[in-house]
């Protein structure tokens, strides 16, 4: 028998019969559900939230010391760069844990399935901010690469956790790219925003754009001013025609682009600018920290429902409610 005998008429018939079938594409809803079990990912910021990943506050936050106050930083700062805390007194760990549980309880009360990522070693004092190691799009997740050395390793843990759920990993930022999920937003299924900054570099944006292009997603890259690190502290999408933003911390070109897309830009109360870092759980309903009463009142007057929880003890650690969550599934078509 010669090697050509292996590729005779019968074999040719079966190869033709069984494929290949590139269409429909990977993110086709029926294709995704049939092959990956669920409609993974999300296509916007406001549709009904079905599954979210969080991570409990790390016990290492209890190592933050009162004698580490830095006047220059206006924070408690570890000389070994494992932590900082933006207050003169260390966190009350009982409050930290109770406030995070309030977030989990609020999500579950909305019918959201909450996935808890595993605890990491004590040096990972920022790992409660589960937004940053990844981002999600229609069809799956893209794994980022965190900028601070103190957070490197969260990516591997979060990858294992979501892969074990069956969620597709659509790509990973490699090389010298830096990408954090706190600087990424899905405006709609075919249009996303990514803010470059001291923590999120141009190489990360380049790699992200190349991963989104086959999915039919255009990426708007927003160069953030000064030492602003993420977009999610500066704006949030409220509905198909409204965003809430801090205009002095976003480029004019980006604000103009939002307006050209048909969005009205409203502003949080000037003393509550970080209220933009809140989470939509379904159209018209927002989980927001209780330290933003004026902004909550303004949004209620516009017809939004506000679920208010205590979260200040965690906010002093450098992030907020939106930072503490990543959508694994929102409704999308």
């Amino acid at each position: 028998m010669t090697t050509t005998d292996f590729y005779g008429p019968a074999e040719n018939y079966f190869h033709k019969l069984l494929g290949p079938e590139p269409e429909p594409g990977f993110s086709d809803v029926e294709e995704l559900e049939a092959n990956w079990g669920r409609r993974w990912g999300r296509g916007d910021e406001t549709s009904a939230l079905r599954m979210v990943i969080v991570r409990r506050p790390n016990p290492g936050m209890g190592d933050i010391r009162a004698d580490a106050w830095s006047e220059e930083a206006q924070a408690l700062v570890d000389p070994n760069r494992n932590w900082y805390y933006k207050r003169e007194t260390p966190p009350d760990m009982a409050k930290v844990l109770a406030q995070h549980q309030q977030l989990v309880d609020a999500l579950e009360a909305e019918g959201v399935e909450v996935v808890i990522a595993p605890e990491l070693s004590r040096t990972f004092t920022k790992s409660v901010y589960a937004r940053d190691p990844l981002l999600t799009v229609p069809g799956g997740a893209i794994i980022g690469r965190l900028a601070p050395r103190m957070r490197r390793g969260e990516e591997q843990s979060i990858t294992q956790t979501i892969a074990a759920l069956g969620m597709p990993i659509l790509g990973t930022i490699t090389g010298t790219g830096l990408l954090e999920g706190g600087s990424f937003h899905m405006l709609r299924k075919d249009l996303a925003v990514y803010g470059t900054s001291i923590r999120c570099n141009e190489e990360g944006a380049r790699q992200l754009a190349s991963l989104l292009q086959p999915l039919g997603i255009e990426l708007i890259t927003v160069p953030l001013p000064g030492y602003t690190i993420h977009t999610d502290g500066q704006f949030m999408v409220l509905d198909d025609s409204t965003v809430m933003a801090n205009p002095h911390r976003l480029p004019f070109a980006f604000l103009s682009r939002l307006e050209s897309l048909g969005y009205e830009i409203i502003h949080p109360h000037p003393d509550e600018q970080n209220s933009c870092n809140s989470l939509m759980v379904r159209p018209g309903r927002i989980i927001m920290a209780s330290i933003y009463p004026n902004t909550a009142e303004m949004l209620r007057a516009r017809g939004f429902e506000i679920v208010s929880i205590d979260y200040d003890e965690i906010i002093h650690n450098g992030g907020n409610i939106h930072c503490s969550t990543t959508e694994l599934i929102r409704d999308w078509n």
Side-chain angles (χ1 to χ4, degrees):
M1 181 180 292
T2 66
T3 55
T4 57
D5 292 331
F6 288 108
Y7 301 97
E11 286 79 4
N12 290 341
Y13 172 82
F14 286 114
H15 286 311
K16 290 179 180 179
L17 179 68
L18 298 177
E21 298 181 39
E23 299 292 343
F26 180 92
S27 297
D28 175 83
V29 169
E30 292 184 2
E31 187 86 354
L32 194 63
E33 291 178 338
N35 297 318
W36 293 88
R38 303 187 71 162
R39 195 174 304 189
W40 293 102
R42 45 91 181 234
D44 59 35
E45 302 284 317
T46 61
S47 294
L49 182 59
R50 303 299 182 184
M51 181 187 290
V52 69
I53 191 165
V54 304
R55 204 190 293 268
R56 301 285 188 191
N58 190 281
M61 287 181 65
D63 298 335
I64 297 173
R65 306 186 315 271
D67 65 358
W69 177 255
S70 165
E71 283 292 333
E72 181 181 16
Q74 289 294 290
L76 300 171
V77 180
D78 177 20
N80 296 317
R81 299 196 293 181
N82 286 324
W83 45 257
Y84 64 84
Y85 194 71
K86 297 191 288 185
R87 192 176 68 192
E88 292 189 41
T89 55
D92 179 327
M93 287 305 292
K95 281 187 176 180
V96 166
L97 295 173
Q99 290 183 358
H100 193 267
Q101 187 60 48
Q102 280 190 53
L103 174 59
V104 172
D105 291 346
L107 288 164
E108 291 181 338
E110 298 295 326
V112 180
E113 182 179 351
V114 180
V115 176
I116 310 290
E119 186 176 294
L120 299 172
S121 66
R122 295 183 73 90
T123 59
F124 286 93
T125 57
K126 306 298 181 187
S127 60
V128 66
Y129 304 126
R131 172 78 43 176
D132 291 334
L134 76 164
L135 58 87
T136 57
V137 297
I142 294 171
I143 306 302
R145 183 166 181 260
L146 295 166
R149 175 64 59 183
M150 63 186 286
R151 298 196 65 179
R152 295 275 172 80
E154 292 182 36
E155 305 96 330
Q156 187 257 12
S157 169
I158 215 83
T159 302
Q160 287 185 322
T161 303
I162 65 170
L165 296 172
M167 187 174 196
I169 308 296
L170 305 179
T172 301
I173 301 303
T174 60
T176 57
L178 299 174
L179 181 144
E180 300 183 348
S183 219
F184 179 81
H185 303 260
M186 289 295 302
L187 291 182
R188 60 186 192 223
K189 187 181 174 184
D190 63 347
L191 185 63
V193 171
Y194 179 67
T196 56
S197 69
I198 190 172
R199 291 261 294 266
C200 301
N201 66 8
E202 293 288 345
E203 173 59 17
R206 185 195 67 78
Q207 292 185 37
L208 177 59
S210 71
L211 290 167
L212 297 182
Q213 188 273 332
L215 304 176
I217 301 172
E218 177 189 352
L219 185 65
I220 300 172
T221 302
V222 182
L224 296 173
Y227 288 92
T228 302
I229 62 172
H230 293 152
T231 50
D232 70 353
Q234 310 313 321
F235 93 103
M236 66 178 294
V237 181
L238 296 172
D239 57 33
D240 291 343
S241 60
T242 317
V243 299
M244 183 167 69
N246 297 313
H248 60 293
R249 302 193 72 181
L250 293 166
F252 171 75
F254 175 56
L255 297 171
S256 295
R257 180 70 183 273
L258 289 173
E259 290 178 333
S260 73
L261 290 167
Y263 288 103
E264 176 191 3
I265 301 173
I266 65 173
H267 308 143
H269 188 277
D271 296 332
E272 301 173 357
Q273 294 175 23
N274 204 31
S275 58
C276 292
N277 200 314
S278 301
L279 182 69
M280 302 290 302
V281 289
R282 57 178 167 81
R285 192 164 174 88
I286 307 168
I287 299 179
M288 179 177 286
S290 58
I291 58 173
Y292 308 126
N294 298 298
T295 303
E297 182 180 0
M298 179 270 291
L299 290 171
R300 287 191 181 102
R302 296 180 68 100
F304 292 92
E305 300 173 340
I306 307 298
V307 178
S308 182
I309 66 170
D310 297 329
Y311 215 66
D312 56 300
E313 209 73 11
I314 297 173
I315 291 171
H316 288 302
N317 196 42
N320 208 316
I321 290 171
H322 191 265
C323 297
S324 302
T325 57
T326 289
E327 308 95 331
L328 302 185
I329 300 176
R330 283 191 190 270
D331 287 350
W332 63 274
N333 294 309

